[in-house]
């Protein structure tokens, strides 16, 4: 199904569900507080009368009178609701997203957060990621899988190191909305929990309604190449690399380095930096290897804006 069709269907479904819920509430209230049913039919009659008069005498301004009458009836209705233990909004129209009233578009004509989220979910197949995120999050993170044997070179154990990193990650999330230029670069060999931790951060921020895009460097490169060379460009997908609240680039490696992908990926990261948007990167390369690989001055300037966080220890994949 095409994205636009899917999105339309999504909002139609929500609308239908909410209308059913509204109808149920109305029936419930009519049953419990019959006075409200009477008030509603009065309001309906007044409104009908007003519109009939309007048609007969378009020039006359009688609507003010009517609207005052209707207003008073509505106040009465609210009082009745509250007297019977319901919230005063109980009979209002129900929206799953109050910001755009389930249209996907905000008052100033922009894409609403709920629509952006939906697009991300569809474009990046977040349904498959959400399965992973349900397993790999801060609640399931277990410090005990890391060795508490001290590594001379680092003067601490992998477990102590991970406890330290965990604190940084939580701080990162707490200060996410601050314009503090805080970007993290997770580096170290495979199997040290880098991806697991990225998943934890992604899940936490998504739960806070942030637009998070999680991609391996390989997937990003593929999208960029499809767009550039195969004309299979999906502009929405491309633009989101720049506009998402958080872009996670997992597994940035040497094998992907061609001059094209190089400059494109760094264009994305650099643009995000300039816009104050945050990026997380994980890589098996050391900062030194990175600077050797990415010699261009732009790249070194980009990496200066990242706090390197080192992972070490035994390879957890084989335990
Ligand atoms: Zn919305």
């Amino acid at each position: 199904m095409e994205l636009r069709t899917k999105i339309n269907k999504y909002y139609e479904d929500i609308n239908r569900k909410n209308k059913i819920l509204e109808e149920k509430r109305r029936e419930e209230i009519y049953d419990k507080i019959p006075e409200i049913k009477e008030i509603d039919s009065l309001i309906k009659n007044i409104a009908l009368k007003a519109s009939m008069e309007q048609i007969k005498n378009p020039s006359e301004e009688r609507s003010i009178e009517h609207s005052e009458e209707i207003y008073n009836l509505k106040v009465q209705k609210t009082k009745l609701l509250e007297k019977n233990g319901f919230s005063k909004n109980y009979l209002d129209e129900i929206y799953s997203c109050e910001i755009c009233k389930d249209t996907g578009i905000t008052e100033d004509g922009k894409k609403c957060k709920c629509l952006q989220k939906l697009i991300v979910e569809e474009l990046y197949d977040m349904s498959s990621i959400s399965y992973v995120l349900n397993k790999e999050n801060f609640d399931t993170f277990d410090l005990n899988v890391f060795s508490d044997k001290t590594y001379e070179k680092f003067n601490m154990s992998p477990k102590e190191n991970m406890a330290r990193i965990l604190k940084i990650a939580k701080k990162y999330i707490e200060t996410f909305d601050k314009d503090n230029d805080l970007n993290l670069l997770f580096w170290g060999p495979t199997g040290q929990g880098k991806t697991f931790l990225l998943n934890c951060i992604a899940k936490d921020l998504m739960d806070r309604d942030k637009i998070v895009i999680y991609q391996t460097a390989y997937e990003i490169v593929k999208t960029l190449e499809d767009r550039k060379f195969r004309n299979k460009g999906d502009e929405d997908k491309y633009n989101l690399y720049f506009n998402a609240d958080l872009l996670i680039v997992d597994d940035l490696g040497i094998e992907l380095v061609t001059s094209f992908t190089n400059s494109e990926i760094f264009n994305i990261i650099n643009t995000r930096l300039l816009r104050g948007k945050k990026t997380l990167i994980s890589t098996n390369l050391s900062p030194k290897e990175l600077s050797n690989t990415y010699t261009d001055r732009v790249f070194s300037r980009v990496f200066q804006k990242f706090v390197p966080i080192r992972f070490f220890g035994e390879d957890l994949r084989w335990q």
Side-chain angles (χ1 to χ4, degrees):
M1 211 191 293
E2 198 165 323
L3 182 62
R4 232 156 273 281
T5 322
K6 262 190 185 172
I7 285 170
N8 287 341
K9 189 177 172 309
Y10 169 83
Y11 286 111
E12 276 165 21
D13 286 349
I14 282 188
N15 269 311
R16 195 173 314 120
K17 247 188 260 164
N18 286 337
K19 286 278 166 271
I20 291 171
L21 194 58
E22 282 169 21
E23 194 48 51
K24 266 198 190 136
R25 285 187 177 183
R26 193 157 32 238
E27 277 169 19
E28 178 196 2
I29 292 297
Y30 284 179
D31 193 45
K32 285 183 183 154
I33 321 169
E35 296 103 305
I36 287 188
K37 193 177 178 180
E38 283 163 34
I39 291 175
D40 271 353
S41 76
L42 269 174
I43 290 175
K44 225 190 234 167
N45 282 336
I46 293 165
L48 189 69
K49 218 169 92 191
S51 62
M52 294 296 277
E53 278 170 27
Q54 194 76 50
I55 294 166
K56 271 192 251 165
N57 310 300
S59 53
E60 270 178 63
E61 301 246 352
R62 267 184 234 199
S63 50
I64 295 163
E65 213 177 291
H66 289 306
S67 57
E68 208 180 282
E69 232 180 316
I70 289 179
Y71 175 81
N72 289 334
L73 284 169
K74 282 188 175 163
V75 170
Q76 224 178 307
K77 215 170 118 178
T78 314
K79 278 187 187 150
L80 275 168
L81 276 174
E82 285 182 320
K83 207 179 91 187
N84 286 278
F86 293 94
S87 95
K88 62 176 192 232
N89 309 320
Y90 195 70
L91 288 176
D92 288 357
E93 289 185 49
I94 299 166
Y95 298 109
S96 301
C97 176
E98 287 292 339
I99 301 166
C100 67
K101 305 219 181 306
D102 299 335
T103 61
I105 306 295
T106 58
E107 268 179 13
D108 50 0
K110 295 211 176 94
K111 278 188 191 132
C112 185
K113 273 259 159 172
C114 67
L115 175 57
Q116 289 183 47
K117 256 181 122 169
L118 194 64
I119 292 174
V120 169
E121 274 165 28
E122 288 300 329
L123 287 182
Y124 297 96
D125 192 18
M126 290 304 263
S127 49
S128 65
I129 287 177
S130 64
Y131 171 74
V132 176
L133 296 187
N134 282 331
K135 287 194 308 181
E136 302 193 348
N137 54 62
F138 282 121
D139 293 333
T140 62
F141 192 99
D142 184 8
L143 263 182
N144 292 319
V145 303
F146 299 94
S147 156
D148 48 16
K149 192 180 79 193
T150 301
Y151 280 50
E152 294 284 327
K153 191 177 162 194
F154 304 108
N155 202 20
M156 68 167 100
S157 68
K159 191 175 177 178
E160 285 167 323
N161 186 42
M162 197 40 101
R164 178 187 72 97
I165 295 172
L166 211 50
K167 263 190 209 149
I168 297 171
K170 292 200 167 152
K171 180 107 191 180
Y172 181 81
I173 290 166
E174 273 159 35
T175 61
F176 188 80
D177 287 325
K178 293 212 173 99
D179 193 6
N180 56 7
D181 254 353
L182 184 56
N183 296 287
L184 306 179
L185 175 76
F186 291 171
W187 70 281
T190 309
Q192 312 291 318
K194 294 196 298 292
T195 298
F196 197 116
L197 197 60
L198 288 180
N199 285 336
C200 295
I201 295 173
K203 166 96 166 68
D204 204 292
L205 287 170
M206 281 162 74
D207 288 348
R208 292 170 196 233
D209 269 347
K210 299 291 175 210
I211 309 285
V212 177
I213 292 180
Y214 187 118
Q215 296 259 275
T216 61
Y218 175 76
E219 286 167 322
I220 295 180
V221 166
K222 200 173 168 307
T223 304
L224 297 175
E225 286 180 346
D226 279 351
R227 181 171 177 275
K228 175 102 175 174
F229 303 119
R230 295 178 201 102
N231 239 340
K232 273 203 319 194
D234 191 324
E235 288 309 292
D236 278 335
K237 193 168 178 176
Y238 179 72
N239 289 334
L240 272 163
Y241 286 149
F242 297 91
N243 297 331
D245 297 320
L246 175 65
L247 174 67
I248 298 179
V249 184
D250 194 11
D251 218 3
L252 185 69
I254 264 174
E255 63 279 11
L256 299 163
V257 178
T258 68
S259 60
F260 163 69
T261 55
N262 234 341
S263 56
E264 278 288 295
I265 286 194
F266 284 89
N267 175 35
I268 292 169
I269 296 171
N270 198 35
T271 307
R272 294 182 59 81
L273 284 171
L274 294 173
R275 290 183 187 171
K277 301 245 177 194
K278 294 185 176 174
T279 309
L280 286 181
I281 298 176
S282 91
T283 178
N284 299 334
L285 305 175
S286 68
K288 193 164 182 300
E289 285 170 308
L290 280 173
S291 72
N292 289 340
T293 312
Y294 303 107
T295 43
D296 195 298
R297 267 179 304 136
V298 176
F299 303 153
S300 48
R301 205 175 63 217
V302 163
F303 278 121
Q304 271 172 22
K305 294 282 173 69
F306 280 79
V307 181
I309 312 277
R310 185 170 195 171
F311 289 66
F312 64 87
E314 289 138 49
D315 190 336
L316 295 169
R317 292 170 304 165
W318 309 108
Q319 289 179 10

